[in-house]
Amino acid sequence: MPQQMRQLTVETPHQVFGAELRHWRTLRGLSQAALGAITSDSGALIGKVEKADRVGNLPFAQRMDSALNTGGALERMWRRMEQAAANPSTDTADAAEELLPNNPWATLPVPELLREWQASDVPDIGQSGTNRRRIGQADIDIMWTMCNALTAADRHLGGGYARDTLTAFLRSTVAPALHGTYDASIATELHTVSARLADLAGFMAFDTARQTAARKWFGTGLVLARAAGNVALGAHIFADMAMQAHHTGRRSDAVTLAETAVSTARQSGSPSTVARSSALLARAHALAGDRAAAARALAEAEHQLDRAQPAEEPAWIRFFGVEQLAAEAMYVASDAGQFDLVQHHAPLVLAATGDMERRYVLASSALASSHMADPCNSDADHAAQILIEAIPAASTVVSSRGLDAINTVRRQLAPHSSRDLVQQVEKQFAEVMVPIG
């Protein structure tokens, strides 16, 4: 199996330009070195521009356009990009270490991490009382309010939209609180809300292709959830980790983490958590090529969701309803190559996205891709029309997953570049897909 291409972050205009350069290079079937040989640039330089570790210039964009036969797409994007204010985003791994120094689970491989979670000993986080700040219920309430607002921002507009805000809050407020003074009842609540915020930071980092930082945040969240004795939250974090493993192509880890999420969720008494964990297990099995296991896991997700009483569920899992399960079923079908089922689930999913722009982009891309999956029976015009409708939403979402999904369909449409609607896709993409930093 060929090595999966590393995903790029897309939070600044220079990062979007790098992603567009990679899109065209991949489309033309060229390695970085091969492209550099054509343009007299080093392959290393091209790689650094793709990752926005280096900033090219207008002549660079023009050379790439000529070598890749883009019709001037990179030069046009460069000129638009130069009009945007680009402020480079920073990694979040250091912030995770500030929240929980000497975290024993931050970088453990999956098998060791699971053994630590299942062990009876609760990690000694060893931070309470190192400063005089007294932490009370008002502090907890403020943290939950912030958590809820940032969760909504992530679900609507992607992990990059408010990631820096969350990181700053974790550094300025949550880390000092964990070092503060508090009684046992506040400790449980503080560890729970801190675990949920760490989980959210991990998900935002994952959504913006900061995979190392994401794993550190998820490990931090698990330590805090374990210290709080919150099994449902631990299961939720394992489910998020399973989604990350699935997205990055780590099939075995995706199955193992999803199975751990399911077994942990069953101990929690939260049917909604079991349902979401089972849906992610279905996705992992589908990615691994086991359609029967995927179907069983998806049926269990539906059964558990039928049992759930939303008012009795933890706040962070209440988003997982019928529409979200339909979206998961759509992604399972896509991974399993059952494209008729993708098209079957799509109307409900797209109709229920509301202002959740990231879900709309991901679902639209999966639907468009389903119309291109069969080379003998593809419908380029239909796929292009779906993408045309999704690109305006994609331009508001700061999500590497979202842009990667759009670009996957663009590459599927490339052989049909003479068609009017396909040309309209490229024109619209070039006009709107440069964010303001």
Side-chain angles (χ1 to χ4, degrees):
M1 177 190 298
Q3 186 176 8
Q4 184 162 2
M5 189 162 51
R6 181 181 176 184
Q7 196 181 15
L8 299 175
T9 56
V10 292
E11 293 177 342
T12 72
H14 288 133
Q15 288 168 347
V16 174
F17 178 84
E20 185 69 356
L21 172 58
R22 176 181 284 186
H23 162 72
W24 283 102
R25 178 178 62 77
T26 303
L27 186 61
R28 301 305 183 219
L30 294 173
S31 68
Q32 292 168 350
L35 176 57
I38 297 171
T39 64
S40 299
D41 295 286
S42 72
L45 173 63
I46 292 170
K48 288 178 180 178
V49 173
E50 287 184 357
K51 294 184 291 184
D53 291 340
R54 285 279 298 275
V55 176
N57 53 29
L58 183 56
F60 176 89
Q62 292 168 334
R63 291 196 302 275
M64 297 299 117
D65 275 332
S66 178
L68 295 169
N69 191 25
T70 69
L74 292 169
E75 179 180 348
R76 289 191 295 272
M77 178 170 277
W78 178 266
R79 291 187 183 280
R80 288 176 53 81
M81 180 181 71
E82 286 296 275
Q83 299 172 12
N87 296 311
S89 233
T90 57
D91 204 334
T92 62
D94 290 343
E97 293 166 4
E98 289 178 25
L99 187 69
L100 200 62
N102 304 315
N103 177 6
W105 295 357
T107 57
L108 286 179
V110 168
E112 286 83 350
L113 178 62
L114 299 185
R115 282 196 292 271
E116 291 296 328
W117 172 262
Q118 293 161 359
S120 58
D121 293 337
V122 176
D124 179 13
I125 62 176
Q127 294 184 337
S128 175
T130 57
N131 66 45
R132 296 182 179 180
R133 173 80 160 83
R134 183 74 184 178
I135 307 302
Q137 189 60 47
D139 298 279
I140 304 300
D141 292 343
I142 288 170
M143 290 181 197
W144 276 120
T145 298
M146 192 70 167
C147 183
N148 293 336
L150 292 171
T151 298
D154 169 68
R155 289 177 182 158
H156 293 170
L157 295 172
Y161 183 77
R163 187 182 61 81
D164 287 342
T165 300
L166 174 56
T167 301
F169 183 70
L170 285 160
R171 281 177 159 148
S172 67
T173 302
V174 180
L178 286 168
H179 286 78
T181 302
Y182 37 83
D183 60 28
S185 62
I186 289 295
T188 298
E189 293 190 62
L190 176 60
H191 292 155
T192 297
V193 69
S194 299
R196 175 61 189 130
L197 284 161
D199 173 44
L200 180 59
F203 198 90
M204 286 182 172
F206 150 53
D207 194 45
T208 53
R210 289 171 163 81
Q211 307 303 349
T212 299
R215 287 191 286 274
K216 287 187 176 182
W217 277 120
F218 288 141
T220 296
L222 285 172
V223 169
L224 290 163
R226 194 80 161 95
N230 198 312
V231 178
L233 184 50
H236 189 74
I237 296 170
F238 277 120
D240 284 342
M241 295 178 72
M243 185 183 293
Q244 181 194 23
H246 171 280
H247 185 72
T248 54
R250 294 157 40 224
R251 300 180 182 185
S252 177
D253 282 352
V255 171
T256 300
L257 288 163
E259 288 176 340
T260 302
V262 171
S263 62
T264 304
R266 290 189 189 283
Q267 301 171 33
S268 73
S270 166
S272 291
T273 305
V274 180
R276 179 176 184 251
S277 301
S278 297
L280 288 168
L281 179 58
R283 290 179 68 174
H285 281 312
L287 186 66
D290 192 339
R291 286 187 180 182
R296 289 193 297 271
L298 206 55
E300 176 63 9
E302 184 175 4
H303 169 68
Q304 292 293 334
L305 193 60
D306 286 342
R307 295 181 56 236
Q309 300 294 323
E312 300 175 5
E313 294 284 349
W316 57 81
I317 195 61
R318 291 176 192 167
F319 79 98
F320 194 83
V322 173
E323 295 84 1
Q324 185 62 43
L325 179 58
E328 298 296 338
M330 185 177 174
Y331 303 142
V332 168
S334 181
D335 285 332
Q338 297 171 305
F339 300 110
D340 56 333
L341 289 179
V342 174
Q343 295 162 22
H344 169 76
H345 290 296
L348 171 60
V349 175
L350 294 175
T353 53
D355 58 357
M356 297 181 73
E357 303 282 26
R358 182 176 59 197
R359 185 201 287 178
Y360 179 75
V361 170
L362 293 172
S364 295
S365 298
L367 176 59
S369 184
S370 76
H371 288 288
M372 299 300 299
D374 183 357
C376 299
N377 192 32
S378 62
D379 188 344
D381 282 347
H382 197 169
Q385 185 59 52
I386 293 167
L387 217 59
I388 287 167
E389 295 170 4
I391 285 174
S395 70
T396 71
V397 173
V398 190
S399 166
S400 298
R401 290 190 296 152
L403 182 58
D404 188 56
I406 291 283
N407 282 343
T408 295
V409 184
R410 288 175 67 205
R411 287 191 285 273
Q412 289 177 309
L413 289 170
H416 307 274
S417 59
S418 63
R419 305 187 74 88
D420 289 345
L421 285 174
V422 177
Q423 292 176 10
Q424 188 176 338
V425 166
E426 292 302 310
K427 181 176 183 294
Q428 186 178 32
F429 185 92
E431 289 175 349
V432 304
M433 287 301 295
V434 175
I436 300 299

